[in-house]
Amino acid sequence: MGSEGEARFKEIFPATRKVLSDKLWIGLTGGLAEDAVPEEFLESLKKSADSGTGAPGYAPDLAAIELAVYRSRNASFFASENSSQTKKFSLNPTLNLVPVAWRNLPLLLSDAREDCVPPEEKAGFVVTYQNPATGDIAVEDASDDLLLALKIVVEELDLRLVAKSSNKTVWPIYCTLKSSATKGALVESPSRIKRPSMYPRGRDVADNFFSSDVFTLQWHITQSCDLHCKHCYDRSDRANVSFSDAVAILDQLYDFCAAKNVTGQVSFSGGNPFLHPDFKKIYKEASDRGFALAILGNPVSAEALEDIVSIEKPVFYQVSLEGLEEYDDYVRGSGHFRRTLDFLSLLKEFDIYSMVMLTLSRVNIDQVIPLAGLLKARADLFTFNRLSIVGEAQNMLLPQKEEYRRFLEAYLAEAESNDVLVCKDNLINILLRDKRRDLFGGCAGHGCSAAFNFLSLLSDGEVHACRKLPSNIGNVKEQSIIQIYDSAIAEKYRMGPSECMGCDIRPVCGGCLAVAYSFGLDIFKQKDPMCFIAK
């Protein structure tokens, strides 16, 4: 082999060259043809190591790793169009898995090799790949978690079956896949929950608001409730979801999330979900399938919390307060305010993220900011939804448009010094745009998210685009969640009012369909009547 060929091999095998003597290197490369392929060098090196004629025993493995690095660096990165459409995770196309008889070899490729742990004779695998985000080359001894992730993807295994066979739940296995994708060994396919191309793209609206990586099912598993609030949206008589139906629904949701390439979240609600006789069993079934879990409910005992946390700690627990003590107790029942404050302290003891929601009306609008002051050291988050004048709220009133705008101005100002206050109402984005401040995701991360990254499921199987207004789009006893989500009526709710379609902040706004409904408007045509955007 001439100098040109030798230079090429030095480029491919720099660390191997350093561990070989000059005489051995020349002997191994000198007998090769100028156009020899790297595998020929590997074969010669292996023979040298096996014969004990000078090459360290680990040298062939080191060279194999360097060849894999070279190939990862020079590979073209592209994801299969088909796989990105049908699978949540796929292999990084630049990935190479190298079987080795020695460990710690990747450390020899480091500039700090003199201080590294020496090679250890122990069988395993080394993985190399090009990070799709940075272009950097990763080289590492493959962990058991990574090998499991690769096996799941290559063999297209169902996570539920993997979990069952390993006596685990789906969630830690899913997290292993997610971690491998974050590092770059796997490629996470983009979400298939996306806003249509006709959606306006204002210059202030970030791209991430046009698709969602998470889908939430707000599941009202029971109508049973230990309260009787004066603004309750729905006191209709519906049977509890049965345990067998609940399991079938969770399997439907799992299939939906897999088909849409999203992470699933189940937000348990009611009524009070703890009053469902099988709540703990249903909660565990949801956890077993790898969903993130949350609770929208009322204060419960420490024992009830312990039962849930022993299965999986919820990502948040949301309770409601309707104002200061006198008004909250008037709306939700005597003693509710103090019980809720005590419960917030209990959530802190369990290290559960606490959220407090208020239903805003003309009566309690002046109590929001004072209540935020009381909650500053007690809750992790406090925000509000505007009243929906449905159900038992028929005789209640919303604030006037200008009064509401003044309130939002004060709310934004207060939020600068009280970090418990969080923006949720879509119309706040109008003020942020006018103030040239960054926009936020609106009600559920993508403006009005009715039937977009969110569905509401009632205990009898009815599916609604939004819980705050009658918006029935199907029933899981008659159709799958995928069929309901992909239906024409669900698409109408996703599009929202046609009057909003020309607005440059529509992806993070769209007003509130429930408020428009409360005023008797055509929610598919007419916008939120409290919208104050300048025309």
Side-chain angles (χ1 to χ4, degrees):
M1 174 179 285
S3 58
E4 189 173 317
E6 183 184 359
R8 177 166 59 91
F9 274 32
K10 283 183 178 179
E11 178 187 356
I12 299 172
F13 304 108
T16 305
R17 172 66 186 90
K18 288 183 179 180
V19 302
L20 300 180
S21 67
D22 292 345
K23 181 179 179 181
L24 183 56
W25 174 262
I26 294 171
L28 290 172
T29 58
L32 299 176
E34 186 67 25
D35 59 352
V37 295
E39 286 79 5
E40 294 180 64
F41 173 76
L42 288 181
E43 185 62 28
S44 297
L45 182 58
K46 187 175 186 305
K47 289 179 180 178
S48 174
D50 289 344
S51 65
T53 58
Y58 61 81
D61 282 350
L62 179 61
I65 294 169
E66 290 197 285
L67 179 57
V69 169
Y70 179 79
R71 286 173 173 162
S72 292
R73 181 177 292 114
N74 290 281
S76 297
F77 185 89
F78 65 94
S80 163
E81 182 178 347
N82 289 332
S83 66
S84 68
Q85 291 295 312
T86 60
K87 295 190 295 183
K88 176 68 173 171
F89 298 101
S90 57
L91 283 183
N92 182 324
T94 71
L95 184 141
N96 292 283
L97 189 64
V98 184
V100 294
W102 295 76
R103 304 290 279 178
N104 303 325
L105 296 179
L107 298 173
L108 293 177
L109 277 61
S110 167
D111 291 337
R113 48 183 293 151
E114 291 79 6
D115 300 323
C116 71
V117 178
E120 173 189 1
E121 194 166 5
K122 183 179 179 182
F125 293 88
V126 169
V127 66
T128 73
Y129 54 88
Q130 184 182 144
N131 188 300
T134 65
D136 295 336
I137 301 299
V139 190
E140 59 190 62
D141 287 314
S143 66
D144 289 342
D145 281 349
L146 177 56
L147 291 174
L148 175 61
L150 297 180
K151 179 181 176 66
I152 290 170
V153 170
V154 171
E155 299 181 15
E156 299 185 357
L157 302 179
D158 188 313
L159 297 193
R160 290 168 291 189
L161 298 179
V162 175
K164 187 174 182 180
S165 66
S166 58
N167 199 28
K168 295 181 179 180
T169 63
V170 169
W171 181 246
I173 298 172
Y174 176 81
C175 288
T176 295
L177 290 168
K178 189 80 173 177
S179 174
S180 299
T182 299
K183 293 172 66 175
L186 298 181
V187 179
E188 187 171 6
S189 300
S191 168
R192 298 181 70 192
I193 291 182
K194 298 181 178 181
R195 291 297 192 187
S197 58
M198 66 183 70
Y199 246 54
R201 287 184 173 265
R203 65 173 182 267
D204 296 324
V205 181
D207 288 343
N208 61 290
F209 294 129
F210 288 86
S211 67
S212 178
D213 294 326
V214 178
F215 177 83
T216 298
L217 184 71
Q218 188 185 93
W219 195 359
H220 300 259
I221 61 174
T222 181
Q223 290 289 89
S224 299
C225 191
D226 45 342
L227 302 177
H228 193 144
C229 304
K230 296 187 181 299
H231 62 280
C232 184
Y233 300 142
D234 184 5
R235 295 291 293 185
S236 60
D237 185 19
R238 301 173 190 263
N240 291 342
V241 62
S242 70
F243 178 70
S244 59
D245 283 348
V247 171
I249 288 166
L250 290 168
D251 282 335
Q252 278 194 38
L253 179 62
Y254 185 95
D255 292 338
F256 173 88
C257 292
K260 299 297 185 182
N261 290 335
V262 291
T263 300
Q265 175 177 307
V266 180
S267 293
F268 286 101
S269 189
N272 182 352
F274 284 87
L275 297 181
H276 191 294
D278 291 322
F279 175 46
K280 186 177 176 181
K281 290 167 60 180
I282 296 172
Y283 190 91
K284 184 178 186 307
E285 291 289 335
S287 175
D288 288 348
R289 285 159 179 76
F291 300 125
L293 305 179
I295 297 173
L296 316 177
N298 302 330
V300 296
S301 67
E303 292 74 19
L305 273 185
E306 285 174 356
D307 283 345
I308 295 305
V309 171
S310 68
I311 299 169
E312 179 181 328
K313 187 170 73 172
V315 292
F316 67 82
Y317 195 122
Q318 179 180 298
V319 293
S320 294
L321 287 172
E322 304 309 333
L324 300 174
E325 184 169 5
E326 181 180 357
Y327 183 72
D328 180 73
D329 285 359
Y330 165 74
V331 173
R332 290 188 167 263
S334 178
H336 177 265
F337 187 85
R338 288 295 163 185
R339 287 199 307 276
T340 302
L341 292 188
D342 290 343
F343 184 64
L344 291 174
S345 298
L346 186 62
L347 290 176
K348 280 189 180 295
E349 291 179 22
F350 279 84
D351 192 31
I352 296 173
Y353 191 89
S354 62
M355 297 171 58
V356 178
M357 181 64 64
L358 175 143
T359 300
L360 186 78
S361 69
R362 187 177 297 180
V363 177
N364 65 357
I365 190 170
D366 292 330
Q367 299 182 42
V368 175
I369 290 176
L371 179 58
L374 291 176
L375 294 175
K376 186 173 184 179
R378 291 182 167 94
D380 293 302
L381 180 155
F382 172 48
T383 190
F384 67 91
N385 276 321
R386 279 177 284 160
L387 174 73
S388 177
I389 306 176
V390 298
E392 300 195 3
Q394 294 288 343
N395 296 319
M396 299 178 73
L397 296 172
L398 282 159
Q400 297 292 326
K401 181 192 295 189
E402 284 306 313
E403 179 187 15
Y404 184 58
R405 177 173 182 160
R406 290 193 296 272
F407 162 74
L408 291 184
E409 292 275 12
Y411 186 93
L412 273 179
E414 182 68 19
E416 293 181 4
S417 59
N418 186 346
D419 56 10
V420 75
L421 283 176
V422 174
C423 294
K424 179 175 174 62
D425 192 288
N426 293 326
L427 299 188
I428 294 175
N429 272 317
I430 301 174
L431 296 179
L432 294 176
R433 186 200 63 170
D434 292 346
K435 297 175 184 295
R436 299 187 179 278
R437 291 170 56 181
D438 290 340
L439 305 182
F440 75 107
C443 183
H446 302 81
C448 177
S449 293
F452 178 60
N453 64 328
F454 169 95
L455 287 176
S456 184
L457 173 61
L458 306 190
S459 61
D460 61 356
E462 275 190 13
V463 178
H464 287 248
C466 175
R467 186 66 179 107
K468 291 172 60 184
L469 78 158
S471 51
N472 190 344
I473 58 175
N475 193 302
V476 291
K477 294 181 179 180
E478 301 166 2
Q479 307 155 277
S480 70
I481 293 176
I482 293 177
Q483 290 172 325
I484 294 170
Y485 184 90
D486 289 340
S487 67
I489 183 62
E491 181 63 22
K492 282 189 71 175
Y493 279 99
R494 281 195 285 279
M495 293 302 295
S498 56
E499 285 186 353
C500 290
M501 283 309 294
C503 180
D504 61 353
I505 62 169
R506 171 61 186 93
V508 291
C509 189
C512 179
L513 297 181
V515 171
Y517 180 88
S518 298
F519 281 82
L521 303 180
D522 183 336
I523 63 172
F524 300 119
K525 293 180 180 179
Q526 296 170 284
K527 67 179 182 178
D528 186 330
M530 296 175 72
C531 173
F532 50 84
I533 196 165
K535 296 183 178 179

